């Protein structure tokens, strides 16, 4: 049976579309627009928690982007873009793969949540959140000063997991990458990959890859801007 990828527009499910394009696997892409900010009812109905992304493969249906990535690599990719135990970069691969959803994305979600509370930039909680985000980005920048890809010399699923946080998520969390030259050089390498451009063209054709991977944050996702303006926070 054909692998089915349920892709919620402008979301972390772009990781799964990107992996499929890099692997060149046969898959069916089903796209869902947000309504207007959260997932529409038909997408939420795919999983008891309304999670994104969701993939189906015969009788298998799973959510969680990391699980989807690992499943596809092992069942459709013959292990490509993963690093096996025993390889010199295995520990780095394992760490950076889980860094995305364990450290980087939670920090960005916290920033997003605080931005919707009306707390000013001078509030202690906001300042701590901003400091933590900057600390994490500096850490990523330092890593990329030592290697072209997060796991080392080769492009892996660790990159696929993390890039969304540095690109698509900035449509919701507006932060600048101007002070992180190694991250910007890294994103240029990402943008040069045909698989990434194909994935974004298929999954989110309204997003500009060059703006996503540039120093300045891309435009705020329109429904988020509208909702924020209505609350007087822009």
């Amino acid at each position: 049976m054909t692998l089915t990828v349920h892709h919620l527009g402008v979301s972390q499910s772009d990781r799964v579309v990107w992996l499929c394009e890099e692997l060149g696997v046969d898959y069916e892409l089903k796209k869902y627009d947000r309504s207007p900010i959260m997932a529409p009812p038909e997408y939420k109905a795919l999983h008891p928690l309304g999670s994104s992304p969701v993939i189906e493969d015969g009788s298998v249906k799973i959510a969680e982007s990391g699980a989807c990535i690992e499943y596809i690599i092992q069942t459709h990719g013959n292990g490509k873009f993963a690093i096996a135990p025993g390889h010199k970069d295995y520990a780095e691969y394992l760490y950076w793969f889980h860094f995305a959803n364990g450290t980087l994305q939670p920090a960005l979600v916290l920033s997003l949540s605080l931005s919707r509370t009306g707390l000013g930039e001078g509030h202690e909680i906001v300042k701590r959140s901003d400091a933590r985000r900057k600390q994490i980005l500096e850490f990523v920048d330092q890593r990329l000063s030592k290697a072209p890809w997060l796991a080392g010399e080769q492009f892996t699923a660790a990159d696929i997991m993390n890039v969304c946080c540095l690109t698509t998520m900035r449509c919701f969390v507006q932060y600048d990458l101007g002070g992180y030259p190694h991250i910007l050089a890294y994103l240029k390498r990402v943008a040069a990959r045909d698989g990434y451009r194909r994935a974004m063209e298929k999954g989110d054709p309204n997003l500009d890859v060059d703006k996503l991977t540039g120093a300045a944050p891309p435009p705020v996702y329109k429904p988020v801007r509208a909702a924020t303006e209505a609350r007087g926070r822009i």
Side-chain angles (χ1 to χ4, degrees):
M1 290 188 177
T2 301
L3 174 69
T4 300
V5 175
H6 296 279
H7 170 57
L8 177 63
V10 196
S11 79
Q12 63 177 317
S13 64
D14 65 15
R15 293 163 168 161
V16 182
V17 183
W18 183 15
L19 174 64
C20 289
E21 289 297 324
E22 291 282 355
L23 289 173
V25 300
D26 181 26
Y27 74 105
E28 178 185 4
L29 178 63
K30 292 188 176 181
K31 298 196 296 182
Y32 303 77
D33 293 330
R34 293 175 177 269
S35 63
I37 297 175
M38 306 304 288
E42 60 268 28
Y43 198 101
K44 291 181 179 180
L46 292 170
H47 188 273
L49 297 180
S51 300
S52 167
V54 173
I55 62 172
E56 292 185 271
D57 189 24
S59 62
V60 173
K61 179 190 286 187
I62 58 173
E64 294 294 340
S65 58
C68 293
I69 294 294
E70 290 197 74
Y71 177 87
I72 293 170
I73 285 175
Q74 297 304 326
T75 61
H76 292 269
N78 195 31
K80 188 176 182 181
F81 301 128
I83 293 179
H87 189 284
K88 66 181 181 64
D89 292 329
Y90 173 65
E92 293 286 359
Y93 169 74
L94 199 62
Y95 175 77
W96 288 104
F97 184 96
H98 291 283
F99 176 87
N101 282 347
T103 299
L104 179 54
Q105 188 162 311
L108 298 179
V109 171
L110 177 58
S111 291
L112 175 62
S113 299
L114 290 174
S115 73
R116 302 297 301 278
T117 63
L119 297 176
E121 293 182 359
H123 194 284
E124 186 62 27
I125 294 177
V126 176
K127 289 194 292 184
R128 288 184 182 182
S129 173
D130 288 347
R132 176 61 172 168
R133 185 182 70 244
K134 291 175 183 177
Q135 179 189 36
I136 291 170
L137 291 173
E138 287 170 0
F139 179 65
V140 176
D141 197 63
Q142 289 172 5
R143 170 58 182 166
L144 293 170
S145 72
K146 301 173 183 177
W149 303 103
L150 289 171
E153 295 300 316
Q154 59 180 304
F155 171 82
T156 69
D159 301 294
I160 291 174
M161 287 294 296
N162 280 277
V163 164
C164 172
C165 299
L166 302 171
T167 55
T168 305
M169 279 199 72
R170 290 200 293 156
C171 294
F172 299 90
V173 186
Q174 295 276 283
Y175 67 92
D176 195 285
L177 291 173
Y180 309 99
H182 302 293
I183 291 179
L184 287 174
Y186 169 72
L187 291 179
K188 283 187 177 180
R189 292 191 288 276
V190 168
R193 297 187 69 87
D194 291 339
Y196 180 72
R197 288 192 172 268
R198 285 197 307 271
M200 297 309 294
E201 182 177 348
K202 291 181 179 181
D204 291 288
N206 294 326
L207 297 183
D208 185 325
V209 168
D210 294 326
K211 289 182 179 179
L212 288 176
T213 56
V220 178
Y221 182 57
K222 288 182 179 180
V224 171
R225 174 172 287 276
T228 306
E229 288 176 339
R231 291 175 172 82
R233 292 172 191 159
I234 284 185

